[in-house]
């Protein structure tokens, strides 16, 4: 599975979407504390934090619990986002989802993982372990995908299952749109029957896709090239940590290099393995403290510590506070 890029180009569809929903670009950027000229840049880039700060500001300014429905249905070929347009040019939903899975990281800090399951074709929306997708963002993406299937086939395709980690507000409206209830589960996943994924798209355009494909592949290659070794180490640690694999040898094996080479290359980026490990542990610990009721012993285990006291001492050295003090402060804010 491809990992979300450290930075990615903000989708040009944003400006059109804001016009559709009546939100001022200047108000949105000011609320998100981002440069007011962001959308006028040739290739505006955001990191993950900035992207979801932008999303949160959009959610606040709209103030409508059903805005994911509005946004998801507004993402049409008229928005002319290259990855989106590539999906509409596909011969069927199966190929469209494969293309979205491949090219989504260009414009969004999220990955899409496709799997064949008993019910059909499953698409799971994912982030690295210490990030959590906002429920409204998940719903918007799922609405977009279902709307894509219906628009491109001119048939009323309903998914077999829609699963969200958090149940949406206004459940009735989403049930009406999807044609089925939204279930609560451990993953954000939408499943379509095999028969529906094979229905021909009336919007198929192989010639147009051949025009876009080299551009999309070039941008993916640029993202991979621009990704620093520090970013790759951070991603590996986030994925491996809960399994207790936090040593430099574990990460070096994953990256197909020796521990000495890994440490030398990190030094060239003015950092070290231990520094990155501490940063990742701090980020993940804060998420566990704020979002779960895990005890210090449980968090210590998930961060790769054998002794809870070692975690407590380390956390205090990173943040200047105890885990419990941080938990209380975050819950109070």
């Amino acid at each position: 599975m491809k990992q979300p890029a450290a930075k990615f180009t903000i989708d040009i569809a944003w400006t059109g979407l804001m016009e559709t929903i009546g939100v001022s670009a200047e108000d949105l950027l000011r609320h998100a504390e981002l440069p007011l000229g962001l959308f006028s840049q040739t290739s505006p880039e955001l990191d993950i934090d900035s992207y979801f700060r932008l999303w949160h500001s959009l959610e606040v300014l709209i103030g409508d619990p059903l805005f994911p429905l509005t946004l998801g249905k507004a993402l049409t070929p008229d928005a002319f986002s290259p990855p989106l347009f590539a999906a509409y040019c596909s011969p069927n939903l199966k190929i469209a989802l494969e293309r979205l899975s491949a090219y989504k990281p260009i414009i969004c800090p999220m990955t899409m993982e496709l799997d064949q399951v008993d019910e059909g074709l499953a698409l799971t929306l994912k982030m690295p372990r210490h990030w959590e997708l906002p429920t409204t963002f998940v719903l918007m993406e799922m609405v977009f995908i279902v709307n894509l299937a219906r628009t491109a086939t001119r048939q009323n395709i309903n998914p077999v299952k829609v699963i969200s980690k958090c149940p949406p507000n206004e459940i009735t409206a989403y049930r009406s749109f999807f044609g089925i209830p939204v279930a609560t589960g451990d993953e954000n996943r939408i499943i379509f029957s095999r028969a529906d994924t094979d229905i021909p798209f009336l919007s198929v355009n192989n010639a147009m896709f051949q025009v876009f494909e080299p551009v999309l592949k070039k941008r993916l290659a640029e993202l991979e090239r621009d990704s620093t070794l520090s970013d790759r180490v951070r991603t590996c640690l986030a994925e491996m940590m809960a399994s207790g694999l936090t040593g430099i040898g574990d990460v070096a094996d994953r990256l197909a290099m020796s521990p000495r080479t890994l440490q030398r290359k990190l030094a060239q980026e003015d950092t070290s393995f231990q520094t990155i490990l501490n940063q990742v542990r701090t980020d993940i610990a804060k998420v566990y403290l704020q979002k779960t009721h895990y005890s210090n012993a449980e968090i210590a285990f998930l961060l790769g510590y054998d002794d809870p006291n070692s975690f407590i001492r380390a956390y205090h050295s990173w943040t200047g506070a105890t885990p419990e003090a941080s938990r209380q402060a975050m819950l109070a804010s």
Side-chain angles (χ1 to χ4, degrees):
M1 181 183 71
K2 293 182 182 295
Q3 292 299 319
K7 283 193 174 183
F8 49 90
T9 303
I10 188 73
D11 194 348
I12 59 175
W14 271 86
T15 51
L17 284 176
M18 286 184 293
E19 290 181 9
T20 299
I21 60 181
V23 172
S24 160
E26 185 173 323
D27 289 345
L28 177 63
L29 293 169
R30 182 178 290 108
H31 190 279
E33 298 180 347
L34 293 171
L36 297 184
L38 179 71
F39 294 129
S40 62
Q41 296 175 13
T42 304
S43 297
E45 290 187 334
L46 291 177
D47 58 21
I48 296 177
D49 279 325
S50 298
Y51 186 94
F52 285 118
R53 196 161 71 246
L54 190 69
W55 179 263
H56 175 69
S57 294
L58 188 64
E59 189 172 6
V60 170
L61 291 176
I62 294 176
D64 179 2
L66 290 178
F67 90 93
L69 271 174
T70 303
L71 285 185
K73 291 188 286 188
L75 281 169
T76 66
D78 296 337
F80 210 74
S81 165
L84 185 158
F85 199 77
Y88 271 94
C89 290
S90 302
N92 55 44
L93 182 59
K94 180 177 182 294
I95 303 301
L97 294 179
E98 289 175 354
R99 290 177 180 175
L100 283 174
S101 177
Y103 300 125
K104 193 71 171 180
I106 296 174
I107 59 170
C108 175
M110 176 189 71
T111 56
M112 295 177 161
E113 188 173 285
L114 281 173
D115 295 291
Q116 294 288 344
V117 294
D118 291 342
E119 301 95 329
L121 185 63
L123 183 73
T124 306
L125 310 184
K126 291 193 171 185
M127 290 288 288
R129 187 180 304 277
H130 60 293
W131 293 90
E132 195 67 54
L133 285 166
T135 300
T136 52
F137 188 83
V138 170
L139 290 169
M140 183 273 292
E141 288 287 347
M142 291 181 174
V143 168
F144 157 67
I145 291 165
V146 172
N147 194 58
L148 162 69
R150 292 172 180 169
T151 303
T153 62
R154 301 295 192 272
Q155 295 191 30
N156 188 35
I157 291 176
N158 291 333
V160 176
K161 284 186 179 178
V162 176
I163 305 168
S164 172
K165 287 187 176 182
C166 297
N169 296 322
E170 308 294 337
I171 292 177
T172 302
Y174 288 103
R175 177 172 184 165
S176 176
F177 175 80
F178 290 123
I180 56 172
V182 178
T184 302
D186 295 332
E187 293 187 295
N188 297 308
R189 171 175 282 200
I190 186 166
I191 303 175
F192 294 91
S193 72
R194 290 183 179 83
D196 284 343
T197 59
D198 289 335
I199 296 175
F201 273 17
L202 302 180
S203 56
V204 60
N205 191 328
N206 290 326
M208 186 63 72
F209 177 68
Q210 288 172 8
V211 172
F212 278 103
E213 187 178 24
V215 177
L216 294 168
K217 285 185 174 180
K218 179 175 181 291
R219 182 56 184 145
L220 274 180
E222 289 171 350
L223 286 178
E224 292 174 1
R225 186 181 65 243
D226 293 343
S227 178
T228 64
L229 180 60
S230 301
D231 294 329
R232 293 161 63 196
V233 169
R234 192 172 288 109
T235 297
C236 285
L237 283 170
E239 291 179 337
M240 299 162 63
M241 190 163 288
S243 301
L245 302 176
T246 59
I248 188 170
D250 301 318
V251 175
D253 286 345
R254 176 75 71 91
L255 297 176
M257 63 179 73
S258 71
R260 180 174 294 182
T261 299
L262 175 57
Q263 196 69 279
R264 175 174 54 79
K265 290 187 174 183
L266 288 175
Q268 292 171 354
E269 295 182 6
D270 295 322
T271 188
S272 69
F273 179 80
Q274 190 62 48
T275 298
I276 297 173
L277 175 59
N278 290 345
Q279 290 170 346
V280 173
R281 278 175 161 165
T282 303
D283 291 342
I284 297 178
K286 287 180 177 178
V287 171
Y288 286 145
L289 289 169
Q290 183 176 25
K291 303 287 188 180
T292 76
H293 297 292
Y294 292 164
S295 67
N296 287 336
E298 290 171 315
I299 296 175
F301 174 78
L302 291 170
L303 296 182
Y305 287 99
D306 295 327
D307 177 16
N309 290 325
S310 297
F311 160 62
I312 294 170
R313 287 193 298 269
Y315 188 87
H316 188 273
S317 71
W318 304 331
T319 66
T322 65
E324 285 308 315
S326 286
R327 172 173 270 157
Q328 294 304 318
M330 285 185 286
L331 293 176
S333 63

